[in-house]
């Protein structure tokens, strides 16, 4: 492992400077599993979307730096409006959240009267104001099942996740046709060829992957579920179909096991990396803490409406003991 300190042009040891600033400003660094390893290693907490929301709701820090994408920072701000929330790069968006503009969702909802609206957390704050309950990939199935079977549900924006939950629960939720550009591009042919080369490997897949990929997976789950499964499984080898950042924690926790990133469709690109997540760097994190920018702002009116479906998710998750 490389332990050489990463320094700026001015010879500042970034890890040390970040640790000092964090202490001085009573800040907490929350990072998603898809962040670069150096950011994961310096964060106070590393987790999936659900855990990030839970920590943001509970922290007594004055500043939250959310090393993830914009909707994650926005969710933290909505849950803790009195705190300053920053993300290292404001351009860290999400193709899935972009696939569901609030005005179009509103028209869709109007075309389906009497439906409960369940939205994945990968959405803008404006979409959350149109939502009855938010879900993440860790709790989506259980939250859908918490509604009586006859409930008419609109689920969005991830169509693959929606189809997967319909198949598990026997529901017939109306699905928004959105997708994540990273999870959509895993190739069935290449996965099968890789499995042929490593017949002893188990295939792990995030439910945002296409149905054909989920069908050949040995285990389907959120990032934290995949991590737990790989730790507790007796298997020694895994092909991992999600953003490749998760391999850092998998490998760290299981040094005796082999983790192979699932191949993207186009061998010439690193498309199993989320280009939005990877915009965040240690240097940007340092600047973010030092200059307290870029900050996430949410209007009071949107915050007031959007917090309800997020709190509802957190309450149901707490009752179900989901972490
Ligand atoms: P998790 O809910 O597993 O953290 O996934 C979030 C995400 O952005 C997946 O692409
Ligand atoms: Fe959004 Fe996909 Fe990146 Fe997750 S991996 S943040 S869903 S673009």
């Amino acid at each position: 492992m490389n332990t050489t300190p990463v320094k700026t042009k001015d010879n500042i040891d970034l890890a040390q400077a970040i640790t000092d600033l964090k202490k001085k400003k009573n800040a907490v660094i929350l990072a998603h599993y898809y962040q670069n390893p150096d950011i994961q290693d310096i964060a106070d907490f590393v987790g999936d979307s659900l855990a990030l929301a839970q920590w943001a709701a509970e922290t007594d820090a004055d500043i939250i730096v959310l090393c993830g994408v914009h909707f994650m920072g926005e969710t933290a701000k909505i849950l803790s409006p009195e705190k300053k929330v920053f993300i290292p790069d404001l351009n860290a968006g999400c193709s899935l959240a972009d696939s569901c503009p609030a005005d179009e969702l509103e028209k869709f909802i109007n075309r389906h009267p009497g439906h409960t609206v369940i939205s994945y957390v990968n959405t803008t704050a404006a979409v959350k104001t149109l939502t009855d309950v938010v879900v993440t990939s860790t709790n989506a199935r259980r939250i859908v099942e918490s509604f009586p079977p006859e409930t008419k549900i609109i689920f969005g924006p991830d169509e693959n996740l929606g189809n997967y939950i319909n198949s598990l629960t026997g529901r017939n939720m109306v699905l928004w046709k959105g997708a994540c550009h990273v999870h959509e591009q895993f190739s069935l042919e290449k996965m099968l060829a890789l499995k042929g080369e490593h017949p002893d490997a188990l295939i792990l897949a995030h439910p945002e992957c296409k149905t054909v990929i989920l069908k050949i997976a040995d285990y389907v789950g959120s990032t934290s579920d995949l991590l737990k499964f790989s730790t507790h499984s007796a298997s020694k080898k895994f092909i991992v179909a999600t953003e490749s950042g998760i391999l850092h924690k998998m490998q760290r926790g299981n040094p005796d096991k082999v983790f192979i990133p699932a191949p993207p469709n186009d061998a010439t690109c690193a498309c199993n990396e989320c280009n939005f997540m990877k915009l965040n760097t240690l240097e940007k994190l340092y600047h973010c803490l030092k200059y307290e920018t870029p900050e996430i702002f949410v209007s009071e009116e949107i915050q007031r409406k959007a917090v309800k479906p997020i709190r509802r998710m957190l309450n149901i998750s707490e009752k179900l003991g989901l972490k």
Side-chain angles (χ1 to χ4, degrees):
M1 196 179 36
N2 181 11
T3 50
T4 316
V6 182
K7 298 198 176 180
T8 61
K9 281 188 228 106
D10 320 327
N11 212 25
I12 294 169
D13 176 341
L14 283 175
Q16 190 56 54
I18 290 168
T19 307
D20 294 345
L21 281 168
K22 211 175 60 171
K23 212 168 152 193
K24 187 172 145 203
K25 299 192 177 198
N26 187 27
V28 66
I29 300 176
L30 308 180
H32 190 267
Y33 289 124
Y34 295 164
Q35 289 297 282
N36 286 316
D38 53 2
I39 292 187
Q40 293 194 38
D41 290 346
I42 206 164
D44 297 290
F45 300 100
V46 184
D48 68 356
S49 312
L50 176 61
L52 294 177
Q54 288 168 328
W55 289 321
E58 286 162 14
T59 181
D60 52 16
D62 297 315
I63 290 177
I64 298 171
V65 182
L66 201 310
C67 296
V69 293
H70 190 270
F71 77 80
M72 295 175 176
E74 214 173 41
T75 304
K77 182 69 184 173
I78 292 166
L79 284 165
S80 288
E82 73 292 353
K83 298 189 195 306
K84 288 182 185 173
V85 178
F86 304 104
I87 62 172
D89 192 317
L90 211 50
N91 292 317
C94 168
S95 55
L96 181 52
D98 288 347
S99 71
C100 186
D103 55 342
E104 287 179 30
L105 179 68
E106 191 165 18
K107 287 182 205 151
F108 189 77
I109 294 170
N110 290 337
R111 287 201 297 276
H112 298 88
H115 282 63
T116 296
V117 181
I118 301 187
S119 296
Y120 198 29
V121 70
N122 299 40
T123 46
T124 60
V127 162
K128 291 184 175 82
T129 66
L130 304 170
T131 295
D132 293 299
V133 59
V134 167
V135 296
T136 72
S137 47
T138 291
N139 58 27
R141 177 191 181 160
R142 304 283 299 277
I143 291 186
V144 167
E145 283 175 334
S146 73
F147 287 89
E150 63 280 8
T151 312
K152 292 197 239 164
I153 296 174
I154 289 174
F155 185 94
D158 194 76
E159 191 181 15
N160 294 324
L161 175 63
N163 271 323
Y164 178 64
I165 293 174
N166 272 344
S167 75
L168 293 178
T169 60
R171 306 271 170 140
N172 189 20
M173 302 187 295
V174 180
L175 305 181
W176 181 267
K177 293 188 188 313
C180 155
H181 72 297
V182 179
H183 289 86
E184 274 273 292
Q185 52 74 41
F186 292 115
S187 146
L188 177 63
E189 290 71 26
K190 289 189 177 175
M191 291 275 280
L192 290 173
L194 193 59
K195 176 79 181 171
E197 283 169 41
H198 304 275
D200 52 333
L202 295 184
I203 297 179
L204 310 182
H206 195 281
E208 287 172 27
C209 294
K210 286 181 287 196
T211 305
V212 285
I213 301 290
L214 300 182
K215 280 205 169 129
I216 61 157
D218 296 289
Y219 183 76
V220 177
S222 65
T223 46
S224 56
D225 288 337
L226 298 182
L227 186 59
K228 280 183 214 151
F229 181 87
S230 68
T231 301
H232 297 129
S233 166
S235 180
K236 293 280 181 213
K237 207 186 259 187
F238 304 89
I239 296 169
V240 186
T242 188
E243 212 272 357
S244 55
I246 187 70
L247 269 72
H248 176 60
K249 273 270 183 283
M250 284 178 166
Q251 198 65 75
R252 216 2 113 73
N254 303 281
D256 59 324
K257 298 186 179 182
V258 176
F259 297 95
I260 308 165
N265 213 354
D266 175 357
T268 62
C269 72
C271 351
N272 54 1
E273 288 194 353
C274 174
N275 49 325
F276 297 115
M277 285 278 182
K278 280 0 190 211
L279 282 175
N280 297 328
T281 62
L282 212 53
E283 187 147 11
K284 288 181 193 170
L285 169 57
Y286 164 67
H287 284 125
C288 177
L289 264 170
K290 182 165 181 188
Y291 302 111
E292 301 196 5
T293 187
E295 186 166 359
I296 301 279
F297 294 102
V298 177
S299 79
E300 223 180 292
E301 192 193 344
I302 293 204
Q303 189 279 334
R304 201 168 19 81
K305 289 183 187 159
V307 77
K308 290 181 191 158
I310 307 175
R311 282 263 171 228
R312 194 167 171 194
M313 166 184 81
L314 294 179
N315 292 340
I316 300 175
S317 299
E318 199 182 334
K319 276 191 204 128
L320 294 171
L322 294 171
K323 281 249 179 254

